[in-house]
Amino acid sequence: MDAITHNFQGEVPWCMLFADDIVLIDETRRSINERLEVWRQTLESKGFRLSRMKTEYLECKFGDEVTDEGVEVWLESQVIPKRGSFKYLGSVIQGIGEIDEDVTHRIGVGWMKWKLATRVLCDKKVSSLLKAPVTLQLMQELMLYVSFYIHQSVFTSAGFSLTN
């Protein structure tokens, strides 16, 4: 895919390829339409096809300015549906710039995994030999978590910042 599209790919993060997914980022819908048409023509000339049913877009508004009012995103003659949030590789990106949906999702996954682990750890019918690897993994995760936050609190109290 990179070899076919290297002539018109933008720099990261304006154009990214993930397996069979394409992420195009731009400041206006008009320029996205233009770039999407170039992608469509190039890929279809090489025998590939962009799915009209799976293609969707997410518009992120980080300011109060109104741009491209009344302009739709098109793929050939079909209007592409707009999404309020987008889930990819376990992360949820929201168009309004919030992370509530992602945090809620990750907390839910954590609780689900904890419930699965406690079923094994608390079951009297499961032998100790089978519980040992699960317990070891939980202890390693806990030690990593605690060491990170102790390290962070020591540096923060000493006036150092981990982000610089």
Side-chain angles (χ1 to χ4, degrees), residues 36-54:
L36 191 57
E37 184 61 22
V38 169
W39 273 85
R40 185 193 66 76
Q41 288 174 357
T42 303
L43 292 176
E44 288 182 356
S45 72
K46 302 293 183 185
F48 293 94
R49 182 164 160 75
L50 287 177
S51 171
R52 270 74 169 161
M53 300 303 293
K54 293 181 183 178

